[in-house]
């Protein structure tokens, strides 16, 4: 009998160790971004041991990380009914409140999570810090404060150091993030994510070659650690994007490393979604459409599929599908909408509202502009994606529409197209008004166009064409003093370039325009000056009818 009791106790103890080990394995799977494996392990633990509240909490976190808040809430709510570590689930519920901008509700849940902590407990502080960092409405100050409480108790806790590094990184405090990641890896050399994050910092600083070296050091420690290949893929992609001469080679490296990442994680729906995100980055929209359709066959519920369908449909020319898919996605308050979602929705409406023949459906176009404005508010640098569209509209002589597109980039100094967008914006506004067949010129728009040319002259003082367009704009506004001022500045700068420049037919044409415009502006106030400038035109073009007739009229 005693022997049987001893055996039974040993079996129970062994089972407990196995369960604890399973939770650790699930955490490892989460860190390795093997989410399908993690969910399978955690569901098995919950089924076999309903009292394990930690398993519910971790599973809830997996679903929340994947953007499935409803499923996350189900497991957090179930977890608070467990007997072991149920308090952790209040932290999950607290993050859901943060995501809903209910800070008071979040704090109430965090208080419930910590009220029965023992003196040396730190996990609650670490998870609360992560909740503040990972929320869609992050609060890095409170994240750091909570994680400092954990480190005050256990200064060498690698998980706390990694988490505070993430909080500092989110707050753009690169120095403190670096120290925390370094210390986390020193405290636990098996914590590869901390080592990987050192490379992420280098990637963010555009030190792409050094970042790659850092990631390769992680691979040397464990060639089967999947997330590092994703970081490598993104690094090669960004390197190619920022240095076009390397684009072909680096893009191939990016694709190869991303495929390696997928092979080491899992081919779950979530991994396909991450794959779809990457296909968007590398602009492989045909593959994106294939992946999106496969995802629909597997799961018609996850809302992010609508994002991928919308992007792919727009790029592949099916704007109606794009509009419906993206409107279905952005209208749901719980979906994590990003700038690109509104940008593609806006682009789809604009494509629907314009055609190659120059016809414009103004209502559809304006709706598209409103969506792009939302995109820019969320992610200012999406303006870099609009330059090509603006040039397409400009080429079709849809100048008013082109101006509306270029204006976004013209106001963002950080955009790589800042100078180009300002030039096209100013010219588009000018031609939109110069080509009007009825109605007065739009003085407010023309004033903004002139401001664009002023910005150009600050960024590129040798762009003399700016003065030519400033003269043209003021011609439309009938401001004689500014017509004279700007055209004279153009003449002075062009003359300074020498005889070769002045002999070019295009330059001769512009000089004639300048002389005639100045002459016309002087005609009502200084006839002598007016005749002087018209005569300068006649030196260049003796047959110029406008100048000849003007001289006769003034005499």
């Amino acid at each position: 009998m005693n022997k049987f009791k001893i055996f039974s106790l040993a079996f129970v103890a062994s089972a407990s160790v196995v369960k604890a080990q399973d939770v650790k394995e699930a955490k490892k799977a989460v860190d390795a971004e093997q989410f399908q494996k993690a969910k399978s392990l955690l569901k098995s633990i919950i089924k076999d041991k309903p009292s394990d509240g930690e398993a519910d909490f971790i599973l809830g976190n997996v679903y929340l990380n994947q953007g499935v808040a409803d499923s996350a809430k189900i497991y957090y709510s179930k977890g608070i009914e467990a007997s072991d570590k149920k308090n952790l689930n209040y932290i999950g519920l607290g993050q859901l409140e943060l995501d809903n901008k209910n800070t008071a509700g979040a704090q109430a849940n965090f208080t419930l999570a910590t009220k029965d902590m023992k003196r040396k407990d730190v996990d609650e502080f670490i998870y609360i810090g992560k909740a503040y960092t990972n929320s869609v409405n992050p609060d890095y100050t409170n994240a750091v404060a909570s994680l400092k409480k954990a480190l005050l108790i256990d200064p060498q806790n690698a998980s706390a150091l990694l988490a505070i590094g993430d909080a500092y990184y989110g707050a753009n405090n690169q120095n403190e993030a670096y120290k925390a990641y370094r210390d986390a890896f020193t405290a636990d050399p098996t914590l590869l994510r901390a080592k990987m994050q050192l490379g992420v910092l280098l990637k963010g600083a555009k030190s792409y070659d050094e970042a790659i070296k850092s990631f390769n050091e992680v691979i040397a420690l464990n060639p089967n650690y999947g997330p590092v290949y994703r970081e490598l893929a993104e690094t090669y992609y960004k390197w190619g994007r920022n240095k076009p001469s390397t684009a072909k080679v680096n893009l191939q490296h990016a694709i190869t490393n991303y495929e390696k990442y997928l092979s080491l994680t899992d081919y779950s729906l979530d991994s396909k979604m991450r794959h779809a995100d990457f296909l968007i980055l590398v602009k492989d929209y045909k593959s994106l459409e294939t992946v999106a359709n496969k995802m629909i066959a597997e799961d018609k519920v996850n809302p992010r599929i609508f994002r991928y369908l919308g992007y792919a449909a727009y790029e592949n020319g099916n704007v109606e599908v794009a509009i419906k898919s993206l409107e279905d996605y952005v209208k749901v308050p719980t979906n994590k909408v990003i700038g690109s979602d509104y940008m593609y929705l806006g682009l789809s409406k604009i494509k629907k509202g314009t055609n190659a023949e120059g016809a414009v459906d103004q209502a559809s176009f304006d709706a598209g502009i409103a969506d792009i404005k939302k995109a820019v508010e969320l992610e200012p640098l999406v303006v870099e994606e609009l330059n090509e569209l603006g040039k397409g509209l400009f080429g079709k002589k849809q100048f008013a529409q082109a101006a509306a597109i270029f204006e976004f980039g013209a106001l963002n100094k950080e955009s790589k197209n800042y100078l180009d967008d300002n030039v096209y914006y100013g010219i588009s506004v000018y031609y939109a008004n110069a080509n009007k067949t009825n109605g007065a010129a739009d003085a407010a728009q023309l004033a903004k166009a002139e401001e664009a040319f002023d910005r150009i002259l600050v960024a590129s003082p040798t762009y003399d064409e700016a003065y030519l367009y400033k003269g043209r704009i003021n011609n439309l506004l009938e401001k004689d003093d500014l017509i004279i001022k700007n055209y004279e500045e153009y003449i002075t700068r062009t003359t300074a370039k020498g005889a070769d420049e002045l002999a070019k037919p295009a330059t001769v044409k512009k000089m004639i325009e300048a002389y005639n415009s100045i002459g016309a502006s002087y005609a009502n106030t200084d006839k002598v000056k007016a005749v002087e400038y018209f005569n300068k035109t006649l030196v260049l073009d003796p047959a110029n009818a406008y100048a000849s007739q003007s001289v006769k009229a003034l005499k």
Side-chain angles (χ1 to χ4, degrees), residues 33-217:
E33 299 178 18
Q34 296 171 340
F35 299 117
Q36 197 67 21
K37 176 182 177 181
K39 286 193 284 189
S40 179
L41 283 169
L42 291 164
K43 286 177 181 179
S44 177
I45 294 168
I46 292 166
K47 181 181 177 181
D48 293 344
K49 191 181 179 186
S51 61
D52 191 340
E54 185 180 17
D56 287 294
F57 172 63
I58 297 169
L59 184 54
N61 285 349
V62 172
Y63 278 113
L64 192 56
N65 178 65
Q66 294 177 337
V68 191
D70 290 345
S71 295
K73 188 174 183 178
I74 288 170
Y75 282 101
Y76 295 145
S77 299
K78 184 177 179 296
I80 60 176
E81 302 298 326
S83 56
D84 298 334
K85 296 188 178 183
K86 66 180 182 179
N87 61 317
L88 295 178
N89 290 280
Y90 287 112
I91 299 171
L93 293 172
Q95 185 175 336
L96 288 173
E97 296 293 355
L98 288 176
D99 288 351
N100 292 323
K101 298 184 179 179
N102 182 2
T103 53
Q107 189 55 56
N109 277 292
F110 295 155
T111 299
L112 288 171
T114 56
K115 70 183 181 71
D116 294 323
M117 285 178 67
K118 295 182 174 60
R119 187 167 59 88
K120 291 188 177 181
D121 288 347
V122 296
D123 284 352
E124 290 84 351
F125 292 136
I126 294 172
Y127 283 125
I128 289 170
K130 288 181 177 182
Y132 277 119
T133 297
N134 296 332
S135 170
V136 295
N137 303 301
D139 182 344
Y140 300 118
T141 301
N142 274 323
V144 169
S146 182
L147 291 160
K148 281 184 174 179
K149 290 178 184 178
L151 290 168
L152 193 64
I153 297 167
D154 185 0
Q156 295 303 309
N157 188 294
S159 295
L161 289 166
L162 173 61
I164 202 169
D166 290 339
Y168 283 130
Y169 178 66
N172 293 316
N173 188 337
Q174 312 299 326
N175 289 336
E176 290 299 326
Y178 175 83
K179 291 176 186 175
Y181 291 142
R182 179 198 61 196
D183 292 346
F185 186 66
T186 300
D188 181 2
T190 68
L191 192 58
L192 295 180
R193 186 165 290 270
K195 175 72 171 172
M196 183 180 77
Q197 287 300 114
L198 294 172
V200 171
L201 291 175
L202 291 167
K203 179 183 70 174
K206 297 185 178 180
S207 297
Y208 301 120
D209 52 346
E210 292 300 317
I212 289 167
K213 289 179 184 176
S214 183
F215 295 138
N216 282 332
E217 289 174 3

Side-chain angles (χ1 to χ4, degrees), residues 281-455:
L281 282 179
V282 299
K283 301 184 186 298
D284 188 350
Y285 297 106
K286 288 184 179 179
S287 295
L288 176 62
E289 189 168 10
T290 300
V291 169
N293 283 323
K294 285 182 180 178
M295 287 192 288
I296 289 174
E298 294 174 21
D299 185 347
K300 295 182 180 181
V301 177
N302 196 302
R304 274 173 62 195
I305 297 174
F306 289 114
R307 169 186 289 163
Y308 304 129
L309 273 178
Y311 290 12
Y314 167 78
E315 294 290 350
N316 295 327
N318 195 343
V319 294
E320 295 293 350
V321 172
I323 291 169
K324 185 181 185 308
S325 297
L326 291 166
E327 284 184 338
D328 285 345
Y329 183 76
V330 302
K331 72 182 180 184
V332 180
T334 55
N335 287 344
K336 294 181 179 179
V337 178
I338 60 176
S340 292
D341 299 331
Y342 279 117
M343 185 189 76
Y344 270 99
L345 180 56
L347 292 177
S348 299
K349 291 176 182 178
I350 287 169
K351 184 178 280 189
K352 180 181 177 181
T354 56
N355 64 31
E357 289 72 39
V360 176
D361 176 347
Q362 198 61 45
S364 182
F365 183 86
D366 290 344
I369 290 294
D371 285 323
I372 288 176
K373 185 177 180 181
K374 293 177 185 177
V376 172
E377 287 170 355
L378 287 172
E379 296 176 36
L381 283 181
V382 299
V383 297
E384 293 183 350
E385 306 299 323
L386 301 173
N387 183 268
E388 186 177 339
L389 170 64
K391 287 180 178 177
L393 293 168
F394 186 91
K396 292 188 288 186
K397 301 187 184 300
Q398 295 174 326
F399 297 117
Q401 289 72 33
I405 296 297
F406 285 121
E407 187 173 14
F408 289 108
L411 298 174
N412 190 326
K413 288 184 178 179
E414 302 304 315
S415 170
K416 65 180 182 180
N417 302 318
Y418 175 69
L419 186 59
D420 202 38
D421 285 346
N422 270 285
V423 171
Y424 273 97
Y425 171 68
I427 295 173
S428 296
V429 172
Y430 167 72
Y431 279 117
N433 283 273
N435 292 347
K436 276 188 175 181
T437 55
N438 54 63
D442 188 330
Q445 284 293 319
L446 288 167
K448 289 164 70 175
E450 189 165 15
E451 289 171 3
F453 286 114
D454 288 335
R455 290 193 293 269

